[in-house]
Amino acid sequence: MTFLLVAVNAKYIHTNPAIYSLRAYAGKELAPYVSLKEYTINNQMEEVLGDLYLKRPDVIGFSCYIWNFHFIQELLWELAKVLPGTDIWLGGPEVSFEAEKLLKKYPMVRGIMVGEGEETFKELLSFYVAKEHPEIKSRHLSLGEIPGLVLPQGATAAREFVDFSSLPFLYDDLREFDNKIIYYESSRGCPFRCSYCLSSIDKRVRFRKLDMVKKELQFFLDNKVPQVKLIDRTFNCDRTRAREIWQFLTNNDNGITNFHFEVAADLIGQEELALFQNMRPGLIQLEIGVQTTNAVTLKEINRPTDIAQIAEAVKEIRDGGNIHVHLDLIAGLPFEDYESFGRSFDQVYGMRPHQLQLGFLKVLKGTAIWKQADVYGIVYGHKPPYEVLYTNWISFGEILKLKQIEEMVELYYNSNQFVHTLGVLEREFASPFTLFEELAVYYGEKGYFLNSPARSYRYQVLLQFVQERMPEKEELFAELLTFDFYLREKAKSRPTFGKDLSPWREQIWQFYCKEEECPEFLKSYSSYHARQTMKMTHMEVFSYPVWESKGKKKMDRCEGPVFVLFDYARRDALTGAASVHIIE
């Protein structure tokens, strides 16, 4: 007897911790009857169908959430045709809130596991296994006796939450997760009641025992896992506990592993900030959901937030220079119109996160905002991920404009390729939001949304944008783009906007010869000859102090040419930018 648990992930590097947790919780006696299979939404439907057919499981269970449910729904119809004797079960957040309706729509589905699934799956699995293996006892004689199910004939009893510390650790064998993101839970639930979030439905937070958490995090450190992404909804809701875990990671840092946390910035105080200062650059990264700075909206979505305190905390963290900060915004929330969102954007952009995610409201089943969608005039797509189309405050046309602005933010801000250029360019516009708005208009005029420029050509596109909008500053921005270009990579070919270096060739060569004889700036290259070192680094000549830009210094022309050395052997741990030396 085989019960096959299937995950359909958004990307190959993703894993689905739910199916691994279900198998682990089933225990050693039942685990041999469980198989796991992961696909992605980019797989062809026919490929997945064929693979499942060849496996011929007795029972299949699908883990369903917004990014894969459309794929799974299409698959269900064909799967029932080719495997008519196989029982099909669904579980996960996407099917837990309208289970009765879904069973009517998909009659081939035997039932749905609702809510937390570990104990429910274990009892369901034992029910099936006991049919063929009487030596394995089941507590239940019928499916209707198993709590936590919705069957065509109705729902069974509600399932109580499990003791979170009783769940087994998922990662004893890391070979299953080669080249994949490792996800880890140290808590479930959230104390906050944000109306758009599924975690608000779980009325209490359950913590894994602290000694267990430390032991399991040590496992990742011992195995030098590149990144561990904690999926706790608000990791620092218990500040004392969060600090103890962060201190543990600091004390046991292996110099390699990065830990990702979702946190509430207004819960970060001086104790946390002092702790952060002692961390290795890249040890942790923080994702902070600001969502909006509109006070009326924040109150409406049950999200009490001190924006000033968030800004102060983010500034302190950024100034430390050792922690990557990711901030989130959500467009389409109640009482937030286009202009209000622009103000929210400018405030959050002004916090200077390393990454700014401009997201769009997903009207998730079971949430308060889902129940009140008609009140707010929120119209959203009928297929997953149920993204907002328009509301009483923002039109579909304005949502489309924000979609284009989102792409500009991704290409030009979140890429970290244009840090110095944007720092100066944004001063030429009324606000950062206006800059990205105008850049989106330019992309639309040139047809670049349909034919997106290659990564290297985006520098040229930005210069063309400057040439059209402010031609008198073309030379300055050509230098800014040149600086940003070489800051990121030792390019094999020179960009078209780079200045002619032939007048300074001899001076540059003499610099490398001097460094070979008596290294001052390139001591780590002492075993190489000047010509080899020249190929491994890069020297550029500038007429403007572009290295000091980032929006802080007025770009007046220098008195004479300035030589800048880019050292690619030494890079910023957070951004990957080359080390820079100003050569007198």
Side-chain angles (χ1 to χ4, degrees):
M1 205 294 297
T2 301
F3 198 128
L4 178 64
L5 292 173
V6 178
V8 183
N9 302 320
K11 296 180 180 179
Y12 172 76
I13 61 170
H14 294 173
T15 55
N16 185 308
I19 62 172
Y20 290 93
S21 185
L22 296 182
R23 181 181 65 179
Y25 191 78
K28 292 183 178 180
E29 184 180 46
L30 292 172
Y33 302 99
V34 183
S35 294
L36 307 183
K37 183 63 181 180
E38 294 187 89
Y39 305 98
T40 78
I41 58 175
N42 299 313
N43 287 124
Q44 294 295 316
M45 183 73 64
E46 294 77 11
E47 294 174 349
V48 176
L49 181 65
D51 192 51
L52 292 175
Y53 172 79
L54 293 175
K55 294 183 184 305
R56 289 182 170 81
D58 299 283
V59 191
I60 293 181
F62 289 98
S63 174
C64 305
Y65 61 102
I66 58 171
W67 299 112
N68 72 9
F69 194 48
H70 180 65
F71 187 101
I72 290 173
Q73 288 177 95
E74 296 296 316
L75 182 62
L76 289 175
W77 295 106
E78 312 309 325
L79 191 61
K81 297 173 186 175
V82 299
L83 291 174
T86 297
D87 280 1
I88 299 173
W89 288 84
L90 307 178
E94 187 53 31
V95 297
S96 288
F97 300 99
E98 288 187 320
E100 295 85 354
K101 182 178 177 181
L102 288 169
L103 287 175
K104 291 177 181 178
K105 185 176 181 180
Y106 301 104
M108 73 290 292
V109 175
R110 182 72 186 272
I112 294 175
M113 292 176 272
V114 297
E116 192 170 63
E118 281 88 357
E119 187 65 39
T120 302
F121 174 73
K122 183 176 182 178
E123 294 183 7
L124 180 63
L125 175 63
S126 65
F127 172 80
Y128 275 105
V129 172
K131 289 182 177 180
E132 293 186 11
H133 301 276
E135 70 278 11
I136 295 179
K137 304 298 182 183
S138 171
R139 294 169 53 191
H140 307 290
L141 299 177
S142 69
L143 292 174
E145 297 177 8
I146 301 175
L149 301 179
V150 177
L151 306 169
Q153 59 269 32
T156 64
R159 169 72 66 185
E160 294 293 324
F161 289 134
V162 299
D163 174 3
F164 190 46
S165 295
S166 71
L167 299 182
F169 184 56
L170 308 184
Y171 298 106
D172 290 336
D173 186 354
L174 287 172
R175 289 174 297 181
E176 291 183 285
F177 306 96
D178 284 345
N179 303 312
K180 302 289 184 74
I181 296 174
I182 298 292
Y183 297 99
Y184 178 75
E185 279 184 298
S186 75
S187 66
R188 279 186 184 174
C190 183
F192 303 111
R193 296 291 175 262
C194 304
S195 64
Y196 55 84
C197 182
L198 273 176
S199 295
S200 65
I201 300 169
D202 190 346
K203 301 300 182 185
R204 59 189 173 119
V205 184
R206 290 168 292 146
F207 296 105
R208 200 162 176 81
K209 291 179 181 177
L210 199 52
D211 59 340
M212 295 179 68
V213 172
K214 291 179 180 179
K215 179 181 178 182
E216 291 161 357
L217 294 178
Q218 187 64 54
F219 174 84
F220 299 132
L221 291 164
D222 291 343
N223 284 276
K224 295 180 171 57
V225 173
Q227 185 181 56
V228 178
K229 188 166 186 177
L230 279 83
I231 53 178
D232 305 43
R233 296 311 301 161
T234 306
F235 174 77
N236 63 332
C237 62
D238 182 331
R239 292 179 57 193
T240 302
R241 185 176 186 275
R243 286 197 302 272
E244 187 164 349
I245 292 173
W246 282 330
Q247 185 65 65
F248 173 82
L249 295 178
T250 304
N251 295 342
N252 295 277
D253 181 19
N254 61 12
I256 296 172
T257 305
N258 165 263
F259 294 88
H260 177 104
F261 300 91
E262 293 186 34
V263 300
D266 47 353
L267 295 180
I268 294 175
Q270 290 305 312
E271 300 98 325
E272 289 85 354
L273 293 171
L275 180 57
F276 292 160
Q277 290 178 0
N278 298 319
M279 290 181 172
R280 163 182 61 87
L283 171 61
I284 72 169
Q285 61 190 57
L286 301 177
E287 181 173 351
I288 298 165
V290 183
Q291 320 311 11
T292 178
T293 63
N294 183 317
V296 176
T297 300
L298 287 169
K299 182 178 180 181
E300 190 67 21
I301 62 175
N302 302 321
R303 189 176 176 84
T305 299
D306 187 331
I307 299 298
Q309 192 171 346
I310 290 176
E312 183 178 348
V314 171
K315 181 182 184 304
E316 291 275 354
I317 297 168
R318 278 283 335 227
D319 288 350
N322 60 340
I323 295 175
H324 183 280
V325 179
H326 173 133
L327 301 182
D328 295 331
L329 282 169
I330 297 178
L333 293 171
F335 295 97
E336 180 111 89
D337 59 19
Y338 183 83
E339 288 72 23
S340 169
F341 185 83
R343 291 191 293 272
S344 290
F345 179 94
D346 286 335
Q347 283 186 267
V348 175
Y349 185 92
M351 298 178 195
R352 300 294 170 184
H354 296 96
Q355 188 167 18
L356 172 55
Q357 182 175 329
L358 198 170
F360 295 83
L361 177 66
K362 312 294 188 295
V363 184
L364 304 178
K365 296 176 183 177
T367 61
I369 216 163
W370 172 67
K371 296 173 182 176
Q372 295 178 284
D374 290 342
V375 176
Y376 297 130
I378 297 176
V379 176
Y380 55 94
H382 78 281
K383 293 181 179 179
Y386 314 114
E387 194 166 270
V388 64
L389 298 173
Y390 58 90
T391 74
N392 284 342
W393 299 273
I394 194 165
S395 70
F396 180 57
E398 289 168 332
I399 290 289
L400 291 179
K401 287 176 66 176
L402 291 177
K403 287 278 187 180
Q404 294 182 332
I405 292 170
E406 175 201 22
E407 188 166 342
M408 295 300 93
V409 172
E410 284 296 314
L411 295 182
Y412 287 99
Y413 185 83
N414 290 341
S415 66
N416 271 307
Q417 292 176 253
F418 305 90
V419 174
H420 293 75
T421 304
L422 288 179
V424 178
L425 185 58
E426 66 192 44
R427 298 204 303 259
E428 302 293 329
F429 293 84
S431 70
F433 185 74
T434 305
L435 162 60
F436 289 104
E437 193 177 41
E438 287 294 313
L439 192 54
V441 170
Y442 180 78
Y443 256 61
E445 292 171 349
K446 300 300 181 183
Y448 289 145
F449 285 116
L450 296 177
N451 298 291
S452 183
R455 185 171 69 92
S456 59
Y457 191 64
R458 291 172 197 151
Y459 294 87
Q460 185 66 45
V461 171
L462 196 56
L463 183 59
Q464 291 168 355
F465 173 72
V466 168
Q467 288 168 338
E468 286 198 12
R469 298 298 199 273
M470 52 203 83
E472 74 281 1
K473 297 189 176 181
E474 177 182 348
E475 182 186 12
L476 166 61
F477 282 98
E479 288 206 357
L480 284 161
L481 287 164
T482 300
F483 185 82
D484 277 334
F485 182 82
Y486 282 107
L487 199 61
R488 301 295 300 175
E489 58 186 312
K490 177 69 172 78
K492 294 181 179 179
S493 58
R494 187 161 176 77
T496 57
F497 48 82
K499 67 170 60 176
D500 179 12
L501 293 180
S502 56
W504 300 283
R505 291 292 183 197
E506 183 60 26
Q507 286 174 272
I508 293 173
W509 171 242
Q510 290 302 323
F511 167 81
Y512 280 102
C513 291
K514 182 181 178 182
E515 284 293 307
E516 180 182 347
E517 295 176 6
C518 184
E520 179 182 355
F521 299 98
L522 298 172
K523 293 179 180 180
S524 61
Y525 297 82
S526 58
S527 61
Y528 296 96
H529 297 301
R531 199 167 298 281
Q532 293 173 308
T533 307
M534 197 172 180
K535 291 180 178 179
M536 299 166 70
T537 62
H538 179 73
M539 181 169 280
E540 190 67 38
V541 181
F542 294 98
S543 302
Y544 293 88
V546 292
W547 55 90
E548 295 182 354
S549 63
K550 296 187 179 181
K552 296 179 181 179
K553 183 178 176 65
K554 187 177 180 182
M555 289 290 106
D556 292 327
R557 180 181 283 274
C558 301
E559 292 183 3
V562 179
F563 294 78
V564 176
L565 176 67
F566 297 87
D567 182 357
Y568 300 102
R570 297 169 58 199
R571 291 180 179 269
D572 186 286
L574 300 185
T575 67
S579 178
V580 171
H581 303 282
I582 310 303
I583 310 299
E584 297 295 337

